[in-house]
């Protein structure tokens, strides 16, 4: 039988390899956000769930870098990554 806690209260136990309490975060939060993408590259006409990675401004309009699934072959799906105009993106 294995020892169960060795008499150390849970609040005082430390897991090796973990981040110590009060430690600063490793970096900025993940920028990815879920969204709906209208007018997918395959032209099916339905909104697709996508993952918005970043924004940029070009010629006075905003575009989002999005990854989403599209029918890229007659019988197959693939991932598409493209800059999409902001007006075609809807937050989830």
């Amino acid at each position: 039988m294995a020892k169960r806690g060795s008499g150390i209260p849970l609040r005082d136990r430390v897991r090796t390899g973990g981040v110590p309490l009060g430690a600063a975060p490793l970096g900025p939060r993940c920028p990815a956000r879920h969204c709906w993408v209208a007018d997918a590259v395959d032209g099916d006409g339905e909104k697709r769930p996508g993952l918005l990675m970043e924004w940029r401004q070009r010629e006075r309009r905003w575009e989002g870098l999005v990854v989403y699934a599209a029918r890229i072959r007659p019988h197959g799906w693939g991932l598409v990554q493209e800059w999409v105009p902001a007006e075609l993106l809807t937050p989830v």
Side-chain angles (χ1 to χ4, degrees), residues 1-2 6-8 15 18 20 22 27 29-31 36 44-45 47-48 50 52 54 58 64 71 77 79 85 90-91:
M1 301 257 314
S6 304
I8 302 171
R15 182 179 284 166
R29 292 178 47 139
C30 178
W36 290 104
D44 274 357
K47 286 187 176 183
R48 300 285 168 72
L52 173 67
E54 67 178 283
R58 292 200 114 184
R71 190 180 308 275
W77 291 79
L79 290 178
T90 307

Side-chain angles (χ1 to χ4, degrees), residues 2 4 15 17 21 24 34 43 46-47 52 55-56 63 74 82 84 91:
R4 294 181 50 163
R15 182 179 284 166
L21 290 176
H34 291 103
E46 64 182 52
K47 286 187 176 183
L52 173 67
W55 288 104
R56 73 177 179 189
E63 298 176 324
E82 67 174 332
V84 176

